[in-house]
Amino acid sequence: MNTKNQQRNPVLLVHGLDDTEAVFHKMRVYLIQRGWSVYSLDLVPNNGDVGLDELAKQLADYVTTTFASEQRLDLVGFSMGGIVSRYYVQRLGGINRVQRFITISSPHNGTVVAYGSWRPGCIQMRPDSIFIKDLNSDAVILGQLDFTSIWTPYDLMIVPGNSSQMSVGREVIVPVALHPWMLTDSRSLAVVAAALAKPIKLPLLNKKSSQ
């Protein structure tokens, strides 16, 4: 087995709507204690006033300025941050930089909660939006990465909860009661660490497991 693929990449955390990088405090400490180098950035504005494609450009710029050009990295996106990260991976060349990609409670198929706002970024997260349809039109390319979607069926922000399901990669269901708890529950943290520790391998068929 290629031992290079067993090395731990730096991990970049991408927050969600109305959040800042501070939302990852517990996860950051958890991962650092287990040997990872952890990075994060604040997406501005964080309230949906600009499109997710614009936020993805901030993510792309951060990667370019923070990491050497040959450095591969692992990406963890929470909620909206998972969709911003998908745009970076699928549209801005991130597919060539990212090896492991984890989304946590991200509205891959939109969320009806987004109908409550007319801000551009929120409109993009509505079910069947042009933005979501475009990303899902070639979501199969995520199979080139080690991709994991983590979600809870009890989510009140991602509605329906199974909007976080993808037809590619691996999914892990963590039955956490509230959306923000997905970043602090010990089961979620363990799933993220396990996904980040897996050796890079060939694309997987969709598999489901529960924690």
Side-chain angles (χ1 to χ4, degrees):
M1 184 178 295
N2 187 341
T3 57
K4 180 179 180 181
N5 287 343
Q6 297 181 59
Q7 295 177 359
R8 292 189 173 182
N9 293 330
V11 178
L12 177 54
L13 309 175
V14 185
H15 67 76
L17 186 71
D18 291 327
D19 287 331
T20 68
E21 60 89 22
V23 75
F24 289 113
H25 174 72
K26 186 171 183 178
M27 182 177 291
R28 174 194 292 273
V29 171
Y30 183 90
L31 294 175
I32 289 174
Q33 289 176 342
R34 284 156 181 79
W36 276 279
S37 298
V38 182
Y39 299 79
S40 58
L41 75 159
D42 283 329
L43 301 172
V44 181
N46 64 356
N47 62 354
D49 271 350
V50 301
L52 307 192
D53 47 325
E54 292 298 318
L55 298 182
K57 292 175 184 176
Q58 295 180 29
L59 173 56
D61 289 343
Y62 180 88
V63 171
T64 299
T65 58
T66 305
F67 305 103
S69 59
E70 70 277 5
Q71 176 66 60
R72 305 300 295 270
L73 63 143
D74 297 339
L75 197 56
V76 179
F78 171 60
S79 196
M80 177 192 76
I83 307 303
V84 171
S85 298
R86 277 188 62 190
Y87 193 91
Y88 164 64
V89 168
Q90 294 178 233
R91 300 287 178 264
L92 300 179
I95 192 78
N96 300 314
R97 300 293 305 267
V98 176
Q99 287 193 313
R100 300 175 186 87
F101 180 23
I102 302 167
T103 60
I104 304 171
S105 292
S106 291
H108 294 301
N109 298 289
T111 172
V112 299
V113 175
Y115 284 109
S117 172
W118 286 95
R119 291 171 172 167
C122 296
I123 291 173
Q124 289 175 328
M125 288 188 286
R126 293 176 178 177
D128 296 321
S129 73
I130 294 173
F131 187 84
I132 289 292
K133 284 182 175 179
D134 175 65
L135 281 183
N136 286 341
S137 68
D138 60 355
V140 65
I141 70 173
L142 295 176
Q144 298 176 33
L145 311 178
D146 194 300
F147 174 68
T148 304
S149 173
I150 305 169
W151 61 282
T152 173
Y154 308 118
D155 207 313
L156 297 179
M157 291 299 295
I158 310 303
V159 181
N162 63 5
S163 175
S164 295
Q165 287 184 307
M166 290 285 282
S167 60
V168 62
R170 179 190 310 107
E171 68 171 315
V172 183
I173 298 172
V174 183
V176 173
L178 295 175
H179 187 68
W181 291 2
M182 289 293 286
L183 296 181
T184 58
D185 189 278
S186 59
R187 294 166 295 180
S188 295
L189 297 177
V191 170
V192 170
L196 292 172
K198 292 181 75 68
I200 298 299
K201 60 177 90 174
L202 294 174
L204 301 172
L205 296 175
N206 193 46
K207 297 180 179 180
K208 179 185 292 187
S209 60
S210 298
Q211 298 295 316

